[in-house]
Amino acid sequence: MSSTAAADALPAASSRLLPAIESSLAASLDAAGGAEGLPHGLLAACRHATLGGGKRLRPILTLHACAACGGREADAMSAAVAIEFIHCFSLVHDDLPALDNDRLRRGLPTVHVAFGEAMAILAGDALMSLAVEIAAASPRRGGEIVRELANATTRMIHGQVIDTLAGEGVTGTPAQRLERIHRHKTGALIEASCRMGALAADADPRRLEAMARYGAAIGLMFQIVDDLLDETQSAEHVGKAVGKDREAGKLTYPAIHGIDASRRQVTELHAAAVEAIAPLGASAAPLVDLAGFLASRTR
């Protein structure tokens, strides 16, 4: 294994979850639409958007958070699938010509390139509605999980508006606007992944708050690392276009704070995440390991 591949390898406890996540994502798409199923082209576009690889960070977080709060994998799998469908829907729409106009995602053609703009829009719509349906089927606290999912989706779209339509109703310094974008556009779904996992385990308020604090810290940290990778890695390495935010004049952590200060912020957020879940003890060890991986990832 190369040094890069080793650095990118998920911690063992997270890697172990991937086969079940992939199987559940595929099965949920195959079951979508009831007896008639989804139209062939729509199903193909949704499968391209969802099953074409990816870190699966959000469902992994959901399952780990559930386990850390005393639940089982089966308790949280519906929530895990739902949050990943929302994430994939957001990528399909973000890649559209009207927004980021990207032609490469996870090393593959984006959905609108492969299937056309109309089908890409409809595939994103379908993934969002399926996510709500699947979240509602969670064995425990399904209503609260759906509300969490819906709130995070709205916050994510809020962040996308600020990021894409610069200055749209936003005040504050560039640094304040940047943090608001990142905590909404990227951080909202990551924090929700942790909270949904805790809800699936029927967590008490103390554990739910610990998961929220952990998720908020790694959500911001994850996007800062993405900003750094956009400045320091090639498109071939990360599997998507790089440097576009800088060329478009968008706010990024390296642009506002510099690379060294951005790296220090990653270190501080990593420490805050680990501190938040320390009271949960050994059950939270996979989340501690995952935070370390996310802080040092290279793609």
Side-chain angles (χ1 to χ4, degrees):
M1 181 182 294
S2 70
S3 59
T4 298
D8 291 332
L10 280 168
S14 296
S15 182
R16 178 188 62 80
L17 298 174
L18 290 175
I21 291 170
E22 296 297 333
S23 176
S24 296
L25 291 170
S28 296
L29 288 175
D30 289 342
E36 291 186 353
L38 296 179
H40 174 74
L42 179 60
L43 178 60
C46 288
R47 289 179 66 88
H48 184 90
T50 308
L51 305 180
K55 301 175 185 68
R56 306 307 187 205
L57 169 62
R58 292 151 192 83
I60 288 171
L61 283 168
T62 301
L63 297 178
H64 280 332
C66 180
C69 295
R72 304 167 303 158
E73 185 177 295
D75 296 329
M77 189 57 79
S78 293
V81 169
I83 198 76
E84 185 68 359
F85 276 7
I86 291 292
H87 174 56
C88 292
F89 131 69
S90 75
L91 299 182
V92 173
H93 283 189
D94 282 358
D95 289 338
L96 287 166
L99 293 176
D100 292 346
N101 194 24
D102 278 321
R103 302 184 65 82
L104 187 69
R105 170 72 63 181
R106 297 166 177 167
L108 299 171
T110 50
V111 177
H112 72 273
V113 171
F115 295 89
E117 283 188 51
M119 187 60 80
I121 293 169
L122 294 169
D125 293 346
L127 288 170
M128 183 166 67
S129 61
L130 286 170
V132 174
E133 181 181 351
I134 292 165
S138 297
R140 295 176 177 174
R141 298 173 76 169
E144 290 176 77
I145 289 171
V146 168
R147 282 196 296 274
E148 192 71 43
L149 182 75
N151 177 263
T153 302
T154 302
R155 287 182 60 206
M156 176 194 69
I157 295 167
H158 174 159
Q160 180 69 65
V161 168
I162 302 170
D163 188 40
T164 304
L165 305 176
E168 180 72 18
V170 182
T171 59
T173 67
Q176 290 170 333
R177 296 201 304 272
L178 174 63
E179 182 160 339
R180 185 175 173 188
I181 290 168
H182 282 1
R183 287 196 181 277
H184 284 73
K185 183 180 175 182
T186 301
L189 288 189
I190 290 177
E191 182 179 345
S193 299
C194 299
R195 289 178 56 87
M196 288 165 64
L199 289 169
D202 197 21
D204 61 30
R206 179 181 66 86
R207 288 183 173 86
L208 186 59
E209 176 59 23
M211 286 297 111
R213 289 174 54 212
Y214 173 89
I218 66 163
L220 181 55
M221 181 185 78
F222 183 88
Q223 186 57 55
I224 296 173
V225 172
D226 250 17
D227 284 357
L228 286 165
L229 294 178
D230 193 62
E231 290 286 334
T232 62
Q233 300 288 355
S234 68
E236 291 75 18
H237 182 76
V238 299
K240 62 181 180 180
V242 298
K244 292 191 66 177
D245 288 347
R246 180 179 66 253
E247 293 169 6
K250 289 188 177 182
L251 298 176
T252 69
Y253 260 77
I256 297 296
H257 300 288
I259 288 177
D260 289 342
S262 297
R263 286 174 173 157
R264 287 194 295 272
Q265 181 74 351
V266 168
T267 300
E268 292 171 6
L269 289 165
H270 175 215
V274 172
E275 180 184 4
I277 55 176
L280 302 182
S283 66
L287 289 170
V288 173
D289 292 342
L290 187 57
F293 164 78
L294 295 174
S296 60
R297 67 191 176 93
T298 64
R299 69 177 73 203

